[in-house]
Amino acid sequence: MSDSRDLLIQIEEARRAVLDEGRPEAVAKRRSFKMQTARERVTALVDRGELTEFGSLVEPHRDNELNRDLVAPADGIITGTGKIEGRYVNVVSHDYTVHGGSSGKVGGLKLARAVTRSIERGMPLVMLLEGGGHRIQDGMNAAHFAGASPVFQNMARTSGWIPTVAAMMGQGFAGPTNYSALSDFVVMVRGKATMGMAGPALVKAGTGVDISKEELGGAKLQADMQGIADLSVESEAECLAAAAKFLSYLPSNARAPLPILDCGDPTDRRDDSLFELVPADSRKVYDVRKVIAVIADRDSVFELKPGFAGNIVTAFARLGGRPVGFVANQTLRKGGILDTPACEKASHFIGMCDAFGLPLVFLIDVPGFAIGPSAEATGLGRRSGRLFYEIGIATVPRASVVLRKGYGGGYYAMCGGRSFEADAAFAWPTAAICAMSIEGAVDVAFKRHYQNAEDPTAARQAMIDRIKTQTAAIGAAKELGVDEIINPRDTRALLIETFNTSPRRK
């Protein structure tokens, strides 16, 4: 009769068989593609490579003609708890060496348990995704598929409660794409990762279209053109680092305090470069990302969706060690105008910051909303409403700074003035605030007047110059439209003071 030590040895031998050391052929195949194994990714992600795994010894179902002889170590998915930068997280890692990373019935139970544990314990969830969705051997069976899975309902329950990260590290059609759509942060590895509702083989079978996986759902398409991914990076190491960095700005859950770090950057630091970074001439463009970098704690800026909707910038940063969210018009792209992609990008970011308690900073230089048939065709009337809505329901502290233009509805949508009860509303001396483009206003309201003048061009310009004197920053302060016209060098200190003295929530 075996004693408990003998039984333990048997268990350890069974566990070793599902580890990388027990599967040398699968590991060698991954090496040939210059990709890490699912377990190596987990080891690289968590502190000291330590994961308390659950479900390591599960077996796949073998109850129908398609799966009777199936071999699927850990049923193709690794689940467990570890730490990232000292904080507990739950980790899910799809194993592409097991039937292409497909999701079997038992593997699905492991994923569902990881999500549920994250919700119940208030812990972030990180998913390292690579695979082709539901496993055909299990899915083509009504006994398995009819009951479906609560995983999508539970993923929805994570929204606004715990941070969720989807790291797309290889091809991830179907299920992994759906998980990504329900996540707070999606990062893809360029040249390797893909997303989409179905892979090329299924697309060809169903539609007759022959297309490569990169054309169908590569990182360039999903991150830069569609904006479904928040970031694309060059390597798996960068992908894992981005996941950890994203989490570093957020609390473990919506009730936990913000992770405040001492960055060693003086709160009263003043920088003369701001005068050069933002030209007084509103016809000249500039890179607002450089402005954010100067105002925020040094080396603390982490931009989301940098390749998508470039006319607006959304970025995490720190002010006096406190995580905050920056929303800024980017004049380098379309003059910083608000169109449908920009509204969608900003709306999602504002909602996420509000959910996890990050104060919001709006840097305003906006000519308004996009107009014309092409803008209307994108449903901008509704999409702009979502931006108003997210700001309107936000409970976190908000501060706005008008750098230059604050025109029309765009000024409202960027939390300008008293539009959404900002805790602080500032303007730089270069600010110009009015209901619409000055040139457009003159052409609409006074066209007949200047056309009847002896010199129509000169008359038009004289009217434009006269109106500009009425839109200058000093006028914005006369009736407390803004709290104060500030020295650009004081922006950092005033924002930090605002958030230090504002309640965490309204």
Side-chain angles (χ1 to χ4, degrees):
M1 179 179 291
S2 300
D3 62 17
S4 59
R5 283 169 293 193
D6 292 331
L7 295 174
L8 181 60
I9 290 172
Q10 294 175 26
I11 295 296
E12 291 303 322
E13 287 177 349
R15 183 172 289 117
R16 193 174 299 112
V18 304
L19 300 177
D20 285 356
E21 62 188 82
R23 307 176 61 230
E25 291 183 4
V27 172
K29 189 172 183 179
R30 291 300 275 174
R31 296 283 183 274
S32 70
F33 289 107
K34 298 182 179 180
M35 297 177 78
Q36 291 180 304
T37 67
R39 292 183 181 279
E40 286 173 335
R41 289 168 175 169
V42 173
T43 299
L45 174 70
V46 298
D47 297 351
R48 298 181 298 280
E50 296 175 356
L51 184 77
T52 303
E53 192 172 349
F54 64 84
S56 63
L57 297 178
V58 304
E59 292 282 341
H61 276 198
R62 301 186 181 96
D63 59 356
N64 67 69
E65 291 301 321
L66 297 177
N67 66 18
R68 189 145 298 161
D69 300 316
L70 200 68
V71 176
D75 210 27
I77 187 169
I78 298 154
T79 50
T81 300
K83 289 183 178 180
I84 296 178
E85 297 181 357
R87 289 194 301 170
Y88 282 109
V89 300
N90 281 312
V91 180
V92 171
S93 185
H94 283 178
D95 190 343
Y96 195 77
T97 69
V98 180
H99 303 284
S102 57
S103 298
K105 184 71 174 179
V106 181
L109 295 175
K110 290 173 66 174
L111 171 60
R113 180 158 174 75
V115 177
T116 301
R117 281 173 57 148
S118 295
I119 295 170
E120 292 174 347
R121 301 182 186 186
M123 294 163 52
L125 174 68
V126 181
M127 297 175 289
L128 311 181
L129 302 174
E130 183 182 11
H134 212 101
R135 186 177 299 154
I136 291 174
Q137 290 90 333
D138 283 4
M140 304 310 292
N141 182 302
H144 283 178
F145 200 73
S149 165
V151 67
F152 293 119
Q153 175 176 316
N154 288 332
M155 283 291 295
R157 289 173 58 208
T158 68
S159 181
W161 168 234
I162 57 168
T164 52
V165 173
M168 196 66 77
M169 308 189 76
Q171 55 183 312
F173 294 105
T177 294
N178 299 138
Y179 305 148
S180 297
L182 291 166
S183 298
D184 295 311
F185 179 64
V186 181
V187 55
M188 300 178 71
V189 180
R190 286 192 286 271
K192 294 182 178 178
T194 55
M195 288 198 297
M197 300 309 293
L202 192 57
V203 167
K204 186 172 184 179
T207 70
V209 176
D210 195 353
I211 188 171
S212 73
K213 61 182 181 180
E214 190 69 23
E215 292 173 316
L216 185 60
K220 182 174 179 59
L221 174 71
Q222 303 291 22
D224 297 343
M225 298 174 68
Q226 302 289 355
I228 296 173
D230 296 285
L231 194 64
S232 64
V233 295
E234 289 292 340
S235 67
E236 294 193 14
E238 289 179 86
C239 183
L240 299 175
K245 188 167 185 178
F246 172 82
L247 291 175
S248 72
Y249 294 91
L250 301 178
S252 294
N253 59 66
R255 292 180 186 166
L258 290 174
I260 296 176
L261 304 177
D262 182 8
C263 61
D265 194 353
T267 58
D268 60 353
R269 172 173 55 79
R270 305 173 91 230
D271 199 315
D272 288 343
S273 69
L274 290 172
F275 292 111
E276 284 72 47
L277 287 176
V278 181
D281 185 348
S282 63
R283 294 170 296 183
K284 294 182 178 179
V285 299
Y286 61 93
D287 190 347
V288 78
R289 293 172 297 183
K290 295 180 180 179
V291 178
I292 296 171
V294 171
I295 294 172
D297 295 352
R298 288 192 180 96
D299 302 320
S300 72
V301 180
F302 182 57
E303 187 177 355
L304 302 183
K305 300 188 189 300
F308 176 71
N311 39 326
I312 199 159
V313 172
T314 52
F316 289 148
R318 283 188 165 81
L319 283 169
R322 174 187 282 105
V324 302
F326 275 89
V327 181
N329 304 115
Q330 174 63 289
T331 64
L332 286 177
R333 183 77 176 270
K334 300 180 180 179
I337 204 164
L338 292 174
D339 55 9
T340 288
C343 288
E344 291 281 7
K345 176 178 172 178
S347 299
H348 177 80
F349 182 74
I350 291 166
M352 180 170 59
C353 288
D354 183 55
F356 294 112
L358 275 68
L360 288 159
V361 179
F362 294 86
L363 299 184
I364 304 172
D365 191 350
V366 63
F369 284 106
I371 59 174
S374 60
E376 300 300 342
T378 65
L380 181 56
R382 178 176 291 276
R383 302 308 177 187
S384 61
R386 186 189 170 197
L387 181 52
F388 289 129
Y389 176 79
E390 292 292 352
I391 302 174
I393 65 169
T395 63
V396 293
R398 285 154 288 172
S400 65
V401 185
V402 187
L403 307 184
R404 291 195 315 194
K405 293 179 180 177
Y407 289 178
Y411 178 65
Y412 281 72
M414 290 295 292
C415 202
R418 308 299 169 204
S419 58
F420 288 99
E421 298 180 344
D423 296 84
F426 300 125
W428 283 7
T430 46
I433 303 172
C434 58
M436 65 183 72
S437 160
I438 297 172
E439 291 81 359
V442 169
D443 289 341
V444 170
F446 305 106
K447 185 175 183 179
R448 183 177 298 176
H449 177 79
Y450 71 69
Q451 282 186 335
N452 290 331
E454 186 175 331
D455 185 344
T457 301
R460 179 179 182 272
Q461 189 59 49
M463 296 189 73
I464 290 171
D465 294 340
R466 190 159 57 249
I467 292 175
K468 280 185 176 179
T469 65
Q470 299 174 189
T471 64
I474 194 165
K478 285 183 177 179
E479 296 186 19
L480 206 62
V482 297
D483 292 315
E484 197 64 51
I485 311 300
I486 64 172
N487 185 325
R489 292 173 294 188
D490 294 330
T491 306
R492 170 178 167 79
L494 288 169
L495 290 173
I496 291 172
E497 180 184 85
T498 296
F499 297 142
N500 282 344
T501 57
S502 297
R504 181 183 174 193
R505 296 276 191 184
K506 292 185 179 180

